[in-house]
Amino acid sequence: MSDYVFSSEVRRRTGEGMAYSQMEAMTRKTGGKEGTLTAAWWNKVALSESVPPPEPKCIPGVAGVLEIPEREVTVLVCRQWYGVSPDDSMHDLFDRVLDSAASWLRSSFSSLRERWRPAAGEAEG
């Protein structure tokens, strides 16, 4: 583990009064038996001890426990257990591509609508 950001979030929740047993119960409620993270697991994470990362099926329960979006949970897992974080430049590139695609669609839709209007007007007349 390189950066204990996930552990910090767990400590934040325990500091707010949530017990490890409550964390276990919440993940069981959300993910069922297979999506449960035990109180011992949560305790070890809080102490920054070596534990395996939560499996993908556990992410919704973890998000509920930490009161953060699922995407943020996955970012914390990636940072703490794998030492990687999202590449902001890729995010910016993706936003630009989406903006360009949206602009192209608006322009194409506008031009199709203009081509269709005269045809509809001729049919009425």
Side-chain angles (χ1 to χ4, degrees):
M1 292 189 247
S2 60
D3 189 3
Y4 295 102
V5 292
F6 189 96
S7 295
S8 294
E9 284 296 309
V10 173
R11 287 190 297 272
R12 176 186 61 80
R13 288 298 285 142
T14 59
E16 293 171 352
M18 184 172 244
Y20 301 127
S21 59
Q22 291 173 301
M23 294 176 179
E24 178 178 344
M26 189 175 248
T27 58
R28 183 180 316 276
K29 181 179 178 184
T30 303
K33 182 180 176 185
E34 292 184 9
T36 300
L37 295 166
T38 66
W41 184 89
W42 287 103
N43 185 32
K44 287 180 180 183
V45 168
L47 297 172
S48 301
E49 292 182 8
S50 182
V51 293
E55 293 183 31
K57 62 186 165 200
C58 299
I59 298 299
V62 171
V65 167
L66 299 180
E67 297 181 334
I68 59 176
E70 289 181 28
R71 184 183 188 293
E72 193 172 332
V73 171
T74 59
V75 169
L76 294 174
V77 168
C78 288
R79 285 182 61 195
Q80 179 158 327
W81 276 274
Y82 305 106
V84 296
S85 57
D87 183 2
D88 291 338
S89 62
M90 284 303 293
H91 180 67
D92 294 341
L93 176 63
F94 185 69
D95 284 347
R96 285 196 307 266
V97 168
L98 283 178
D99 288 345
S100 295
S103 176
W104 179 83
L105 284 170
R106 278 192 298 274
S107 151
S108 296
F109 180 72
S110 246
S111 103
L112 283 172
R113 188 174 40 191
E114 287 180 24
R115 279 190 242 155
W116 183 77
R117 279 188 184 155
E122 293 170 6
E124 291 175 11

